[in-house]
């Protein structure tokens, strides 16, 4: 099993009670089959590199920057990163495949990251997961037919006291019930 990059309220995430979650901007396979960094991306990569002792140490934030820009990490993006940081392509691919927070395929507009660790399990996450799978007609790793929702399971999101917890894109939704979840998905679908 891969590993989460971080737990306690992961970097860039925020808790919300009413959904204002913005849909992800996700590049198509064709758009990122071959990638060249433009001046804006290049400036941001240079800024990251200044903060780390070696290009290898900057790999995680550079990949995160790419995912923020294109919504996922394609083979073309991995190739561009490996060339820019002068790292072996296999090393970059190994890092991307190890960490569950990197998406290897284009996700839907809303990435449903369901915590399936113990505290959430004790608060009925299994029922939420079963409901989501049935409602969206997908399994973990799948994307709904309308392209809106991708469902993944993740380890502890660091909000155990408010279990069960789902992170949708950058937002946390806590103390969930099936009714709350249905209302949330309906609002997102209607945005
Ligand atoms: S077990 Fe910690 S947030 Fe789910």
């Amino acid at each position: 099993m891969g590993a989460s990059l971080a737990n306690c309220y992961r970097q860039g995430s925020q808790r919300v009670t009413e959904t204002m979650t913005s849909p992800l901007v996700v590049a198509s396979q064709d758009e990122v089959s071959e990638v060249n960094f433009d001046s804006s991306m290049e400036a941001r990569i240079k800024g990251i590199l200044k903060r780390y002792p070696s290009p290898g140490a900057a790999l995680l934030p550079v990949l995160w920057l790419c995912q923020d820009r294109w919504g996922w990490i394609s083979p073309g993006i991995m190739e561009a990163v490996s060339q820019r940081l002068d790292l072996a392509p296999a090393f970059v691919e190994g890092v991307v495949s190890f960490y569950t927070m990197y998406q290897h395929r284009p996700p839907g507009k809303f990435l449903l990251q369901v915590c399936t660790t113990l505290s959430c399990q004790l608060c009925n996450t299994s029922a939420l997961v079963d409901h989501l799978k049935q409602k969206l007609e997908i399994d973990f790793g799948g994307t709904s037919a309308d392209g809106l929702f991708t469902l993944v399971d993740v380890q502890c999101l660091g909000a155990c006291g408010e279990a069960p917890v789902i992170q949708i894109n950058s937002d946390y939704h806590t103390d969930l019930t099936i009714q709350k979840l249905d209302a949330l998905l309906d609002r997102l679908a209607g945005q």
Side-chain angles (χ1 to χ4, degrees):
M1 180 188 296
S4 272
L5 278 177
N7 286 324
C8 296
Y9 280 88
R10 297 189 290 183
Q11 185 179 20
S13 300
Q14 58 182 331
R15 188 183 339 198
V16 294
T17 51
E18 292 297 323
T19 177
M20 294 300 289
T21 301
S22 301
L24 295 173
V25 175
V26 180
S28 69
Q29 307 243 17
D30 285 348
E31 287 173 304
V32 284
S33 61
E34 204 171 304
V35 167
N36 293 303
F37 296 124
D38 60 19
S39 56
S40 163
M41 284 293 281
E42 185 56 39
R44 295 176 75 183
I45 290 170
K46 278 184 182 159
I48 291 172
L49 286 169
K50 279 185 193 159
R51 305 202 306 266
Y52 291 88
S54 66
L59 177 57
L60 295 181
V62 169
L63 288 170
W64 195 247
L65 173 70
C66 291
Q67 182 158 288
D68 192 47
R69 166 77 180 269
W70 288 293
W72 63 296
I73 306 291
S74 69
I77 292 171
M78 285 187 254
E79 177 67 26
V81 169
S82 94
Q83 286 181 8
R84 178 61 184 81
L85 300 186
D86 196 22
L87 298 170
F91 179 73
V92 175
E93 187 176 346
V95 169
V96 171
S97 61
F98 179 77
Y99 289 106
T100 58
M101 285 174 71
Y102 295 123
Q103 301 303 309
H104 315 147
R105 293 189 296 271
K109 290 183 177 175
F110 299 101
L111 182 61
L112 310 179
Q113 301 166 77
V114 186
C115 173
T116 56
T117 309
L118 183 61
S119 296
C120 285
Q121 289 287 3
L122 292 173
C123 292
N124 219 16
T125 281
S126 297
L128 294 180
V129 168
D130 290 346
H131 182 72
L132 280 172
K133 287 181 175 178
Q134 194 172 24
K135 183 182 177 87
L136 302 175
E137 300 182 330
I138 52 176
D139 207 334
F140 281 135
T143 298
S144 57
D146 57 10
L148 279 181
F149 300 106
T150 294
L151 180 65
V152 296
D153 65 320
V154 297
Q155 300 307 301
C156 182
L157 289 166
C160 320
E162 297 164 280
V165 182
I166 291 181
Q167 182 179 347
I168 303 180
N169 297 352
S170 295
D171 296 332
Y172 272 55
H173 299 271
T174 58
D175 297 311
L176 282 170
T177 61
I178 286 176
Q179 291 73 23
K180 281 187 186 176
L181 191 54
D182 277 344
L184 175 59
L185 296 190
D186 287 347
R187 286 200 300 275
L188 291 173
Q191 276 184 188

